[in-house]
Amino acid sequence: MSSEDLDVAQAEYEIGKDAFERGEYRKSVHHLEQAKASINLQSRLGGEIQTWLVTAYEAAGQRAAALELCRSIS
């Protein structure tokens, strides 16, 4: 993973968290999915992104996606 990918993942992660905290759950899902696509999922940041994404999926009413991601994490 390049430092550019890490920068993209970090930026998308922050945008996704901020959107979630404002109640913009679909926007949060979009940005967290972008972050997830740009990061090593086995890294600490990858784990944080996936945890937030599960929560965002659930808040956005995408329970099936939340459960699928939970299964893939475990």
Side-chain angles (χ1 to χ4, degrees):
M1 173 191 331
S2 71
S3 65
E4 184 176 313
D5 287 338
L6 181 59
D7 291 344
V8 167
Q10 185 68 47
E12 291 291 337
Y13 173 54
E14 294 299 328
I15 293 167
K17 285 194 318 182
D18 291 343
F20 183 90
E21 291 171 351
R22 289 190 310 274
E24 299 173 346
Y25 304 124
R26 287 189 177 139
K27 182 176 180 181
S28 176
V29 165
H30 170 77
H31 288 286
L32 292 168
E33 286 177 337
Q34 295 298 313
K36 182 178 175 258
S38 302
I39 193 77
N40 174 357
L41 300 179
Q42 302 302 317
S43 69
R44 183 176 129 302
L45 180 58
E48 289 179 23
I49 290 167
Q50 291 177 92
T51 300
W52 273 89
L53 185 53
V54 166
T55 306
Y57 278 145
E58 182 68 26
Q62 299 177 13
R63 178 164 282 188
L67 290 171
E68 183 178 329
L69 183 53
C70 284
R71 286 184 190 107
S72 73
I73 292 170
S74 63

